[in-house]
Amino acid sequence: MERIVNEQEVLRLRELVSEAEHIVVTCHTNPDGDAIGSMTAVIQVMERLGRKAVGIAPDRWPDNLQWLPGMDKLLNYSKQKEEADALLKEADLVFMMDHGSLSRMKDLGDAVGQSPARKVMIDHHLDPDHECCDLVVSEPSLCAACEVLYRLMVDMGWAEGLTFDEATSIYTGMMTDTGGFTFASNRPEVFLIVSRLLETGIDKDRIYRNVFYTASPDRYRLMGYLLYVKMELIRDLNASIMSLTNEERRQFKIRNGETDGYVNLPLQIERMRLSIFLREDTERKGVIRVSLRSVDDFPCNKMSEEFFNGGGHKNASGGTIYGTMDEAIELVHTAIHKYAPLLKG
Ligand code: 5GP
Ligand code: MN
């Protein structure tokens, strides 16, 4: 495997870690398996190296990650602000996992920005903010922050002695960010790493079930409702639109993270190239969050930049529409028709 950091960066990180008495690890808002897995993994690696480390997530994480090893080391900033601020105050090193800027952490980002601690970013999103960190290890071509972390561990010499618990966390992040290795995971290195993780004895089938087969009945009932009632297929343009209002969320007793993955469903229909999922923001009135997923070469990040104040990756992007749900759906129609030549393909 190619190195992802040079000799100078290795020395710099070694120095930062060896000088650190109190390490804090952070991740982005609405944390997913990669955000939480990369946090718990790096906390455990730091502990193995004899350091003290704790994690602070900006807000609540999904229940289906609660079984991960090391979760007792995580705080939820939106609920445990005082305790977290005290930890940040004494922190001398912060690892920012799975996000490329302080703004992806909302309030926690302000607190981290004000902290004099050294900062190391370990990420795979596009356009990382180099200004906010002392060391940036960001590789958008890799499938997960957990893959970036593992590759960094190899370069640092930390992968020798990889533990079962570290491997469990890293596998979880790589698995969730690739939809169970169904996208963004075609490089041989991905499976080389998986193979090394398996050598620690982890049970990948159990990890899959722990994460993906633990939905609430309400999540499946809402999924059925969305597919049966709400999914609009634009067959001639190979595109799909689904939407979710807060009223529907209440009706199905659905929490924020429980709608993850719905956007991918329409892509399982033959010939579909683009799926757009709209949902009313749970906190801000008149704000609609947009999720886009595409296959092959369709650049949904370009569409999101042009129409939805957003961006992201070629096949997975997001954005925001300001207005009512009806206005948002109309705007999505406009966008899809503008991109008709690329969608017909
Ligand atoms: P999701 O649909 O899971 O919310 O977002 C998918 C991906 O799109 C994210 O991983 C992120 O890279 C990107 N993304 C989501 N929302 C935004 C946004 O508002 N602005 C930009 N630039 N990218 C976004
Ligand atoms: Mn990620």
Side-chain angles (χ1 to χ4, degrees), residues 104 125 279 289-293 309-313 316-320:
R104 288 288 316 272
H125 290 93
R279 55 204 190 284
R289 287 287 305 160
V290 190
S291 284
L292 303 93
R293 298 291 185 275
N309 310 295
H313 310 272
S317 64
T320 309

Side-chain angles (χ1 to χ4, degrees), residues 59-83:
D59 44 24
R60 190 193 159 94
W61 50 84
D63 292 341
N64 65 345
L65 300 172
Q66 196 56 48
W67 61 275
L68 272 168
M71 293 302 284
D72 55 321
K73 297 274 159 51
L74 298 197
L75 298 182
N76 170 346
Y77 196 66
S78 68
K79 288 265 157 66
Q80 296 160 287
K81 186 169 182 309
E82 256 173 52
E83 204 180 328

